[in-house]
Amino acid sequence: MITALIVGQVLSWVVIIALVVALLALARQVGVLHMRVAPAGALQTSGGPAVGGKAPAVPAHTLEGQDVIVGGPAKGVPLRLLMFVSATCPLCKGLIPAARSFAKDERVELTFVGDDDAAAQQGLIAAQGLEGYRFINGPEVGQAFEVGKLPYAVLLDAEGVILSKGLVNSREHLESLVVAHELGIATVQDYISGLKQPVAA
């Protein structure tokens, strides 16, 4: 009986050690894959004002009818994020909570921009809890920035310079806008291309 217990204990330890070794090997493989897979970033489109240039100062209206200027300088606001969304866009609805969390964590002033029926936009605001955010509704801003697809984001500094922009559909994409700005590049894709060129050479 005692011999059987000892054998059982030895076998248990052998199995545990084998599992630990397998787990370490798996962790190493995940690390290798992580290094090989390129980070995802916001996809920049060719149209609209260029990154590094001044954003247009566009007269617009909030849903409440207040006259505002979107773009241009905004003293005392280091970073601003224009988030182009629609009440009829499922991706937009899924991304709005991530955009709110991102703006809070990064201390970015978040403004939502849409071009829909006012009642539909009011429904989106109520459903997503956006009452505390400025919501611009009308075609002027989207036309000025040449936004063709949604959801789309533009990151501006206090002087109204476009730091980064692009199509976004995840928090990672939103974070890539700040990363691109911090790296001094237009997009994360540009950074990845720069890394690949020496390897290809």
Side-chain angles (χ1 to χ4, degrees), residues 28-101:
R28 183 180 180 279
Q29 285 301 108
V30 170
V32 170
L33 286 173
H34 181 72
M35 293 297 292
R36 289 181 181 172
V37 175
L43 180 62
Q44 187 178 137
T45 56
S46 57
V51 171
K54 287 275 190 178
V58 186
H61 308 281
T62 66
L63 275 172
E64 292 77 23
Q66 179 185 1
D67 294 333
V68 293
I69 301 293
V70 180
K75 300 297 182 183
V77 185
L79 291 176
R80 292 172 284 162
L81 184 70
L82 302 181
M83 190 75 197
F84 293 83
V85 297
S86 169
T88 59
C89 168
L91 276 176
C92 299
K93 294 175 183 177
L95 186 60
I96 285 173
R100 294 175 58 188
S101 172

Side-chain angles (χ1 to χ4, degrees), residues 108-123:
V108 174
E109 182 184 82
L110 179 59
T111 298
F112 291 95
V113 184
D115 180 19
D116 270 333
D117 176 72
Q121 298 289 45
Q122 291 286 6

